[in-house]
Amino acid sequence: MAAASGAPETESTMVPLMVPTGVCEYEKKAINRKGNAYTLTIQNPLIVKMACKYITQGIIEFVNSKKTLEIDYGNGSCDDDATITINGVTYNIKL
């Protein structure tokens, strides 16, 4: 079968694009290279849009014995803006 351009259709052009959907909960307990235990939790689902190179929405939390750190990727806009909160103090950051 020929493609619209008249060129033969290859096997790769016949494979549909499969994009995973759904929401995953994630929590990881681990020990860093210095031997300190920490927990990483996805607090709000991380949203990635096909047309954007950034995570556009969601919250990740890191907790260890000394601090709590939370990265908030924003409201769904395709931009490099995010906030990071360390022990209750929030800073604006660029990704």
Side-chain angles (χ1 to χ4, degrees):
M1 179 188 262
S5 66
E9 191 169 71
T10 65
E11 189 174 330
S12 64
T13 60
M14 292 188 281
V15 176
L17 176 62
M18 301 300 290
V19 178
T21 59
V23 175
C24 295
E25 292 182 4
Y26 182 82
E27 183 174 279
K28 173 73 175 178
K29 295 179 188 256
I31 297 175
N32 68 15
R33 65 182 173 206
K34 293 182 179 180
N36 300 318
Y38 69 92
T39 302
L40 177 142
T41 306
I42 304 295
Q43 294 291 334
N44 290 354
L46 301 178
I47 307 298
V48 179
K49 298 177 182 177
M50 294 293 290
C52 185
K53 66 180 182 177
Y54 302 105
I55 297 172
T56 59
Q57 192 171 342
I59 298 174
I60 300 175
E61 180 184 63
F62 300 88
V63 178
N64 69 20
S65 62
K66 297 179 182 178
K67 64 182 150 193
T68 298
L69 182 144
E70 185 177 275
I71 301 172
D72 184 339
Y73 289 95
N75 62 7
S77 299
C78 181
D79 58 34
D80 63 348
D81 295 325
T83 61
I84 187 167
T85 303
I86 303 170
N87 292 336
V89 180
T90 301
Y91 305 91
N92 294 317
I93 62 170
K94 295 289 186 183
L95 301 173

